[in-house]
Amino acid sequence: MDWESFKRLRGSQKKAFFMRDGNIYHVIMAQQFDRGFLDEICNLATRIRQIAKSNEGTRFLLSLLQGRRAMLYFVQPSTRTFLSFMSACQILGMQCSEVRDTSTSSEVKGETPEDTVRTFSSYVDLIIMRYPEPGFAERIAFLLNNSGRPVPVINAGSGRDQHPTQALLDIYTLHRSFEDQGGIDGKKIALVGDLKRGRTVRSLAYLMKNYEGVKLYFVSPPELRMEDDLKEYLREHEVEFEESEDLAEVIPQVDAVYMTRIQDEYDLEGESKRIDYSRFHFKVEYLQLLKPNAIIMHPLPRRQELPTEIDQDRRAVYWRQVRNGMWVRVALIAKIFRVGGEIWHY
Ligand code: NCD
């Protein structure tokens, strides 16, 4: 199959292409994950966290992928995701190299990004990439699969489109938070802010088809509503959702509020400045409206939409999300390299 035909396939049809012998290989889009995989990755992350508590366990984890190398190709700004992946690789004993600035790479000599990444694949065993263009990670995975030396590719953020590993850590955070309340099934979740250009909310919304009876509330300014492709996907998979512009009205109804900042780096001509985003800030008084067992999430970095006064509330879980992200990425890399079984046997 050529790239043009492949590109047009649906996520569910592409899934097989991201697998190898029944095991996950490339991590490109949220649609490729099913419930079995999500449950397994959450349980494996928890097991790894427990093992890492002892020195002996830490040494065991370090031995698992010793001698393997990962390349972090991050040409869009990142602190959390970059360090989270780097730490995850290091916990498993991998060595990491990085390219973060194309002005110092051969791309300035006119090399295509495809050739640049193919060069990396000659040196390393795993490529983790953040790239501004939607579909680029997918194209690289496609290219490498058809090359003599395939290596797994992890999408760490593809422009406005997707951020599948953020969605995994968000699921892990929801899973842990609702462990004693029947899990994620049946929960009501508000996604708030720039839903049009926010890749974290897009990837997370895709994952909701894996849970029973979830209802989503899309709370955004009219200019920044969730795109139709995603709403169509949810309708097809019978995930209930509702759109709203009234955050204060939605908060008392939900079990989780997922806040996001305005993604003004994608502005074409400063259009964000004309939007009144303050209506989509979590005001301190909203804490009174929120259910006692509900949680407040944010992928970070934050701006004024999430005042620091909220941090003291026990329902604020965004710093836990950051930590969960590292463990879920360790679990993911362990699964890609098929050492999950050894971890369970430890
Ligand atoms: C997010 C991203 O990069 O999409 N950050 C992250 O990875 N935690 C969210 C954002 O930048 O707003």
Side-chain angles (χ1 to χ4, degrees):
M1 194 187 307
D2 61 14
W3 164 246
E4 287 304 320
S5 328
F6 178 76
K7 200 168 68 175
R8 281 193 297 272
L9 297 178
R10 301 174 54 92
S12 54
Q13 294 171 307
K14 289 176 180 167
K15 188 179 154 178
F17 188 87
F18 302 140
M19 310 277 288
R20 184 146 299 198
D21 308 323
N23 192 64
I24 184 139
Y25 194 69
H26 302 296
V27 177
I28 305 295
M29 51 178 66
Q31 302 94 302
Q32 77 182 92
F33 305 133
D34 59 24
R35 177 67 181 262
F37 177 83
L38 294 172
D39 288 347
E40 205 183 323
I41 207 91
C42 289
N43 294 332
L44 188 60
T46 296
R47 181 74 190 115
I48 291 168
R49 265 175 44 225
Q50 288 159 348
I51 292 176
K53 284 192 204 310
S54 74
N55 290 339
E56 190 204 307
T58 302
R59 280 195 298 276
F60 161 74
L61 292 170
L62 273 171
S63 73
L64 287 172
L65 296 180
Q66 211 173 20
R68 307 275 195 149
R69 287 185 301 275
M71 156 60 87
L72 288 93
Y73 181 55
F74 272 59
V75 297
Q76 265 193 312
S78 177
T79 8
R80 246 159 308 275
T81 307
F82 180 84
L83 287 175
S84 178
F85 267 115
M86 187 172 249
S87 308
C89 289
Q90 288 167 346
I91 287 169
L92 291 168
M94 294 183 96
Q95 283 172 318
C96 300
S97 43
E98 59 180 80
V99 169
R100 305 195 67 172
D101 178 3
T102 51
S103 70
T104 61
S105 96
S106 279
E107 287 178 54
V108 294
K109 300 186 201 164
E111 185 175 54
T112 62
E114 284 83 353
D115 278 5
T116 303
V117 183
R118 185 135 183 201
T119 305
F120 301 158
S121 75
S122 314
Y123 306 131
V124 300
D125 307 292
L126 170 66
I127 295 174
I128 303 165
M129 63 162 83
R130 170 169 285 196
Y131 203 82
E133 184 193 311
F136 183 70
E138 186 179 332
R139 196 160 84 231
I140 294 300
F142 182 86
L143 191 96
L144 292 179
N145 265 18
N146 293 315
S147 77
R149 193 177 188 285
V151 295
V153 173
I154 301 179
N155 174 6
S158 48
R160 315 164 22 161
D161 188 33
Q162 286 234 12
H163 195 347
T165 63
Q166 175 74 38
L168 291 179
L169 79 88
D170 293 336
I171 287 292
Y172 185 44
T173 304
L174 289 161
H175 168 93
R176 289 185 71 192
S177 304
F178 298 131
E179 222 155 25
D180 305 328
Q181 301 169 60
I184 301 175
D185 296 311
K187 294 295 177 289
K188 296 190 160 90
I189 303 170
L191 303 178
V192 185
D194 190 343
L195 307 182
K196 187 184 176 70
R197 305 176 294 184
R199 56 190 171 196
T200 64
V201 279
R202 284 178 58 82
S203 288
L204 184 57
Y206 275 121
L207 289 187
M208 288 306 152
K209 74 131 188 15
N210 294 297
Y211 298 90
E212 297 296 326
V214 166
K215 179 167 180 188
L216 295 176
Y217 294 76
F218 292 144
V219 188
S220 74
E223 301 88 339
L224 300 174
R225 284 210 185 107
M226 186 56 90
E227 295 276 15
D228 288 336
D229 62 337
L230 210 134
K231 289 190 272 194
E232 198 44 52
Y233 183 90
L234 296 177
R235 278 188 208 104
E236 253 173 62
H237 291 89
E238 295 175 15
V239 179
E240 204 186 331
F241 68 89
E242 187 179 301
E243 296 187 278
S244 167
E245 285 174 39
D246 191 342
L247 182 54
E249 197 231 357
V250 168
I251 285 178
Q253 307 182 55
V254 298
D255 304 291
V257 184
Y258 192 104
M259 301 297 297
T260 65
R261 72 177 170 90
I262 194 158
Q263 308 280 314
D264 47 12
E265 66 267 44
Y266 297 111
D267 275 6
L268 298 173
E269 32 153 54
E271 57 271 33
S272 292
K273 291 196 189 64
R274 293 192 291 273
I275 296 171
D276 178 12
Y277 205 71
S278 65
R279 294 194 292 135
F280 304 91
H281 290 183
F282 196 108
K283 303 191 176 61
V284 177
E285 58 266 29
Y286 291 170
L287 288 171
Q288 322 289 330
L289 304 174
L290 189 68
K291 287 185 194 171
N293 287 329
I295 57 170
I296 307 165
M297 301 172 76
H298 195 302
L300 304 176
R302 66 170 149 192
R303 295 187 195 164
Q304 299 89 325
E305 71 280 353
L306 190 58
T308 49
E309 290 97 306
I310 311 284
D311 297 8
Q312 280 86 41
D313 195 281
R314 56 170 188 82
R315 293 165 293 182
V317 299
Y318 27 93
W319 294 109
R320 259 181 262 166
Q321 270 172 276
V322 177
R323 186 92 180 143
N324 286 341
M326 181 178 80
W327 295 120
V328 103
R329 288 178 174 118
V330 177
L332 182 66
I333 295 167
K335 286 219 38 90
I336 293 172
F337 287 95
R338 300 172 190 238
V339 292
E342 282 175 62
I343 294 174
W344 283 116
H345 285 126
Y346 175 75

